[in-house]
Amino acid sequence: MIRPTLIAPCALLALAACGDMSGAGNDAVQRLDTPPPGAAPGTCWAQDTSPAVVETVTEQILVSPAEVADDGTVTRPASYRTETAQKIVQERRVTRFQVPCRAELTPEFNASVQRALKARGLYRGPINGQLDRGTRAAIRSFQKPQGFDSDILSIAGARQLGLIAVARDTPDNPE
């Protein structure tokens, strides 16, 4: 027999497990512990995994055609069988992208991110130097129109916000 005094604490634990896990949400983006092959030493990376999109397709396949008399009446209707199959509409994609290293994500840098996003009308929270839910949502809103749906700020996004220097084109560095 289940005691009523145990039901409430168990329910609270179950609800807590469903709550926000420090901005993780359902985002398939994660920081990588090791950079991808060929990455410059000392750079930090993240990976976005988009799942495959699978569609269930149902088709009616003709087994035998209808039999029609000379006068046009149907003597035996056509028969069909139903086939259901799953089809991959979009393949699974793994995208790796360069991000500011954790050591660079200081409260001062985070506050600069918040100010830059606020200046663009994307962030409405306090400038507190925290990468909280509101800041992450604003980062996603900033990067999404460029085809990059992530709440982790990419190096490219940080450059567009004017927070990280862009390499100059010089004879020694032809980028």
Side-chain angles (χ1 to χ4, degrees), residues 32-144:
L32 298 176
D33 293 330
T34 57
T43 58
C44 297
W45 293 77
Q47 173 174 293
D48 178 19
T49 304
S50 299
V53 177
V54 179
E55 182 179 273
T56 301
V57 179
T58 303
E59 293 180 302
Q60 298 292 319
I61 308 297
L62 179 66
V63 174
S64 61
E67 290 181 10
V68 181
D70 292 338
D71 64 353
T73 59
V74 177
T75 56
R76 189 176 62 112
S79 65
Y80 297 88
R81 76 174 184 274
T82 302
E83 286 188 3
T84 302
Q86 292 188 335
K87 175 183 170 187
I88 296 177
V89 177
Q90 180 180 337
E91 294 287 333
R92 176 179 181 260
R93 287 188 332 244
V94 176
T95 306
R96 291 183 182 95
F97 56 97
Q98 192 174 354
V99 297
C101 293
R102 289 184 200 277
E104 297 173 62
L105 298 177
T106 63
E108 293 80 18
F109 180 82
N110 296 340
S112 294
V113 170
Q114 290 170 330
R115 281 190 292 277
L117 293 168
K118 187 171 254 191
R120 288 162 176 79
L122 298 170
Y123 179 68
R124 291 176 182 79
I127 306 297
N128 59 12
Q130 303 289 318
L131 282 178
D132 54 15
R133 185 183 304 199
T135 305
R136 290 185 176 281
I139 290 170
R140 183 182 300 275
S141 295
F142 175 71
Q143 295 184 133
K144 193 170 184 176

